[in-house]
Amino acid sequence: MFGGEKTFVFWIGLIILASASLSLFSILWYIALTSSAYYGPEYWKLLTPPIVAAAVFILIGLYMMKSGVKKKEEEQILKQ
């Protein structure tokens, strides 16, 4: 899937993916360590936006990584 020459866009996408994955894991770990039943619905109202944002940034990072790889065919066309 990521075979070929990695461009600058690929590496930026990788950084975004890693940061968003770390954020999402941290949020989920915090949820696992604290008792969400004690806090009630207010607890989830506060944590829903960061969870959704992390998921969106994971998708953005994956898309950037996918589009940031030059295939060999593309390189040959650009050289001609």
Side-chain angles (χ1 to χ4, degrees), residues 7-73:
T7 64
F8 186 69
V9 174
F10 174 86
W11 296 111
I12 297 298
L14 183 62
I15 291 170
I16 290 172
L17 176 69
S19 299
S21 298
L22 180 65
S23 298
L24 184 60
F25 178 74
S26 298
I27 293 167
L28 295 177
W29 188 257
Y30 179 75
I31 290 170
L33 291 179
T34 59
S35 174
S36 61
Y38 175 75
Y39 297 110
E42 294 297 320
Y43 183 75
W44 290 105
K45 286 181 184 177
L46 293 174
L47 289 177
T48 301
I51 291 172
V52 172
V56 168
F57 275 106
I58 287 173
L59 293 175
I60 290 170
L62 285 171
Y63 180 75
M64 286 179 71
M65 288 175 66
K66 182 177 178 262
S67 64
V69 175
K70 285 185 183 177
K71 303 288 185 209
K72 292 183 180 180
E73 301 156 356

